[in-house]
Amino acid sequence: EMSEIPVLLAKPVNKADACHMLWLLSGRTHKVVTAVALIWPLGTAIASDTTNVTFRELTEEEIDAYIATSEPMDKAGAYAIQGGAAGFVEKTEGSISNVIGLPMELLTGMLDKFLAE
């Protein structure tokens, strides 16, 4: 059995790219990974958080209508979970703030550890 090769989805370069990304995500689960690096007078810490996001099957009309809003054009993976793509999401496992852009639970834990030292 062959494992899937990961595809990294950055910000789309144009509407066709955004359309392609949303088709890739449609009806599938993908991982959103965000790294956080803290530089503190007492040292540094680097950590990451991963959230699984499952999209329902999308229609061509839904994808076209979403791209027409231009919201996907400056978003990694061509969607904003807190915006127009909220209805595309069937399930999430993990931090929603991680998907939005900054994993607050991870950051809070890292800061608490620094402040305890």
Side-chain angles (χ1 to χ4, degrees):
E1 180 182 313
M2 292 181 57
S3 63
E4 289 191 35
I5 298 170
V7 176
L8 301 178
L9 300 180
K11 294 178 182 179
V13 295
N14 56 33
K15 288 182 177 185
D17 193 29
C19 185
H20 176 70
M21 288 184 192
L22 291 167
W23 273 120
L24 286 175
L25 299 174
S26 176
R28 303 181 68 193
T29 299
H30 62 278
K31 293 182 183 304
V32 176
V33 182
T34 306
V36 175
L38 293 178
I39 301 171
W40 208 257
L42 298 175
T44 61
I46 300 170
S48 67
D49 197 2
T50 301
T51 303
N52 291 323
V53 180
T54 303
F55 271 27
R56 62 176 173 75
E57 292 279 347
L58 306 178
T59 66
E60 189 174 344
E61 293 76 20
E62 286 175 313
I63 290 173
D64 289 346
Y66 184 50
I67 291 171
T69 70
S70 69
E71 180 179 86
M73 301 316 296
D74 67 341
K75 309 289 186 292
Y79 76 94
I81 196 169
Q82 75 280 22
F88 297 169
V89 178
E90 199 169 79
K91 181 173 73 167
T92 59
E93 296 171 83
S95 166
I96 295 291
S97 65
N98 181 48
V99 182
I100 294 171
L102 182 63
M104 294 306 296
E105 304 85 353
L106 175 65
L107 178 60
T108 301
M110 293 169 75
L111 289 171
D112 286 348
K113 192 173 174 189
F114 265 135
L115 295 171
E117 290 176 3

